[in-house]
Amino acid sequence: MRFPNIPGFDQQAFEKYFKNTGMLFVGRVGSLAIKMVVSIILARYLGRQFNGILAGGTVYIYFFSAIATLGLDQFIVKELHQFPENRDQILGTSFWMKVFAGFCCIPLIYFAYLIYPAHKTPYSYVFIFSFIGVIQAFTVIDAYFQSQVQSKYIMQVQIAGNLVSAAVKLLLIFNRMPLIWFVSAYTFDFLLISIGYYFTYQRKQRSVFNWSFNFNLSKKLLHYSWPLIISGIMVALYMKIDQIMLQNMYSVKEAGAYATVANLSEAWNFIPAVIVTSLFPAILNAKRDDAARYKKRIQHLYDLMVYISLPVAVIITFAAPLIYKLFTPEYAYAAPTLAVHIWSGVFVFLGAASSQYLIAENFNKLTFIRTGFGAIVNIVLNLILIPHMGMMGAAIATLVAYASATFFIVFIPKVNDQAVMMFKSLFLISLVQKIIKR
């Protein structure tokens, strides 16, 4: 793909980042296709009751995933980008920090379950899920390949891992195994990916055995990432609290049906993550070299988020009844809820992009504040709406919470220009301006 000569435009860099983003998309889309097919077959096999019980157990993992990962991934990319010669020290320090945090999460998850247990989901299931935090420490390797703009390796691991995972689950369904086997299989998914990352990294004279831990670097990383840890907890609350509240306040079967809605709606949320993680190095380069180009790239990123998320929301809204024909009839009544929930994705896309700006500008505390606000909005609305509207109330609460969190920065003077830029993208003002200029 060739572009005419434009001042400040680097054709080679563009091709590099475009290829990297494409590889990430192939990996995630391939994984998505595999997971979607298996999740539908699994939901049909389990039925609403057992699907709700399974989903209730996974929620606790989401609540503590931010602690287990320590919010480090973006900072690992940033450190590797700035200090590539310290690769083994950066990866080793991050890895052991994640391992320690993962083990710390096991008792924390236990106490969370004691305080607010998911109705009919036994703790034995939650305990098995608890080890995911330790297993996923090898995701530091994912961050390494992102920093090198070599996402083809991530793609290979993800697709291979998901194919094996799908085969295992289908085999369990074919043999009509009980629910506990699927709990173990869910945890096994993360182990597969970690094993894949390990063997992929070991190539080309790289070795995890060369990694080392640096205490001063760990303090530096934790200093920068702690707001994102708290922010991640808040994100998990306003993304997943609705499922466990629905399970406890309404019924397990309602939660089982709503789990299919959340899975179908949130399946697309990998797209902004792929784009922003792939383009983050380019944004950092523009920030360093050219302030005007930096601002323009941020606006283009917001535009891109809207160009992708709006069509997805519109298509899914009208296609929801057809999608639910793939499930058993007991799930069919969830289609209108999906048509509402899918619109929250527009704000997820914009929020992911603006979060990159906040990280680039070291406004990490603002990420915590706005996600905390979104969590509060979601919990309050769930308490009001779920008893009267069931899962539709949960979907409305989620939509309002996502929008509130994304545009909360309009009230923060030093960054409210970003809210204006997002509004320009959301209402297609930026698109109209581009058309007029042509």
Side-chain angles (χ1 to χ4, degrees):
M1 182 184 296
R2 299 296 303 176
F3 285 84
N5 291 328
I6 301 171
F9 181 82
D10 188 332
Q11 175 72 32
Q12 187 176 4
F14 170 80
E15 291 177 354
K16 181 181 180 183
Y17 290 117
F18 183 82
K19 183 179 180 181
N20 185 62
T21 304
M23 288 295 184
L24 277 171
F25 262 103
V26 170
R28 296 296 175 88
V29 170
S31 298
L32 172 64
I34 297 166
K35 286 181 177 179
M36 291 288 283
V37 171
V38 174
S39 67
I40 291 172
I41 296 172
L42 183 59
R44 288 169 59 94
Y45 171 72
L46 294 177
R48 288 187 299 157
Q49 176 86 4
F50 289 119
N51 199 45
I53 292 172
L54 182 65
T58 62
V59 167
Y60 292 95
I61 309 308
Y62 283 100
F63 287 164
F64 290 93
S65 62
I67 297 177
T69 60
L70 294 174
L72 287 177
D73 290 344
Q74 287 300 327
F75 291 102
I76 297 171
V77 174
K78 193 174 182 179
E79 285 292 306
L80 289 168
H81 186 259
Q82 292 178 339
F83 309 105
E85 69 279 4
N86 295 336
R87 178 192 68 190
D88 290 335
Q89 196 173 84
I90 294 168
L91 293 176
T93 301
S94 304
F95 173 78
W96 287 112
M97 288 174 70
K98 285 192 174 190
V99 169
F100 178 76
F103 276 113
C104 288
C105 283
I106 295 174
L108 292 176
I109 291 171
Y110 171 71
F111 287 119
Y113 182 86
L114 286 181
I115 295 168
Y116 196 61
H119 181 54
K120 293 188 178 182
T121 299
Y123 174 70
S124 59
Y125 294 180
V126 177
F127 179 70
I128 294 172
F129 289 140
S130 299
F131 287 92
I132 290 173
V134 180
I135 294 169
Q136 67 179 5
F138 276 103
T139 55
V140 297
I141 294 173
D142 187 327
Y144 166 73
F145 286 120
Q146 288 179 32
S147 72
Q148 300 299 301
V149 198
Q150 294 179 341
S151 293
K152 64 179 180 180
Y153 299 112
I154 301 172
M155 174 200 71
Q156 292 167 359
V157 170
Q158 290 176 345
I159 291 182
N162 280 288
L163 283 171
V164 175
S165 170
V168 169
K169 290 186 177 70
L170 292 175
L171 186 63
L172 294 176
I173 292 171
F174 179 78
N175 288 286
R176 307 199 64 80
M177 302 303 288
L179 185 58
I180 185 65
W181 284 81
F182 294 96
V183 173
S184 301
Y186 185 89
T187 306
F188 181 64
D189 291 349
F190 291 85
L191 181 60
L192 273 174
I193 296 297
S194 292
I195 292 172
Y197 282 146
Y198 168 79
F199 283 109
T200 301
Y201 185 80
Q202 292 298 99
R203 305 175 188 170
K204 297 186 178 180
Q205 298 180 330
R206 296 182 298 254
S207 175
V208 300
F209 298 105
N210 293 331
W211 291 355
S212 60
F213 182 84
N214 183 287
F215 183 71
N216 290 328
L217 177 59
S218 70
K219 289 197 297 183
K220 174 186 176 182
L221 290 171
L222 202 56
H223 172 73
Y224 284 116
S225 69
W226 74 262
L228 293 185
I229 297 173
I230 302 174
S231 171
I233 295 171
M234 297 301 177
V235 168
L237 280 173
Y238 83 80
M239 285 187 71
K240 295 296 179 180
I241 193 65
D242 51 355
Q243 290 185 232
I244 197 167
M245 290 178 73
L246 186 64
Q247 185 170 339
N248 288 345
M249 295 172 64
Y250 209 86
S251 72
V252 178
K253 287 185 176 181
E254 188 82 351
Y258 185 68
T260 64
V261 170
N263 287 339
L264 290 167
S265 179
E266 294 167 5
W268 307 98
N269 292 356
F270 79 89
I271 296 176
V274 168
I275 293 173
V276 298
T277 54
S278 185
L279 298 182
F280 193 43
I283 291 172
L284 290 175
N285 287 339
K287 181 179 186 295
R288 181 190 60 206
D289 301 332
D290 188 334
R293 189 169 11 139
Y294 170 57
K295 184 176 181 179
K296 188 176 292 185
R297 282 185 174 180
I298 294 290
Q299 182 67 68
H300 290 168
L301 184 59
Y302 293 146
D303 293 344
L304 181 61
M305 295 294 109
V306 171
Y307 299 159
I308 296 172
S309 61
L310 271 182
V312 169
V314 171
I315 292 169
I316 298 297
T317 297
F318 290 101
L322 295 176
I323 292 171
Y324 269 91
K325 288 187 180 296
L326 299 173
F327 292 86
T328 56
E330 67 172 329
Y331 288 102
Y333 76 111
T337 304
L338 174 60
V340 171
H341 196 289
I342 191 65
W343 287 91
S344 62
V346 176
F347 303 104
V348 171
F349 276 59
L350 286 171
S354 63
S355 291
Q356 294 304 301
Y357 170 81
L358 296 179
I359 291 173
E361 296 293 333
N362 292 319
F363 293 143
N364 304 321
K365 293 179 182 178
L366 291 181
T367 302
F368 154 64
I369 293 171
R370 75 174 187 175
T371 51
F373 178 72
I376 292 170
V377 169
N378 201 14
I379 292 170
V380 171
L381 288 179
N382 277 320
L383 288 170
I384 296 170
L385 299 176
I386 286 177
H388 304 289
M389 303 176 67
M391 62 179 171
M392 179 59 81
I396 294 171
T398 296
L399 175 58
V400 175
Y402 281 26
S404 301
T406 298
F407 285 101
F408 180 78
I409 59 174
V410 76
F411 302 110
I412 311 296
K414 60 184 176 182
V415 292
N416 59 10
D417 62 317
Q418 297 300 304
V420 173
M421 291 168 69
M422 285 192 289
F423 276 122
K424 286 176 64 178
S425 298
L426 181 61
F427 294 107
L428 304 181
I429 295 172
S430 178
L431 176 62
V432 172
Q433 289 176 337
K434 290 176 183 177
I435 294 172
I436 291 174
K437 284 183 181 179
R438 289 180 182 178

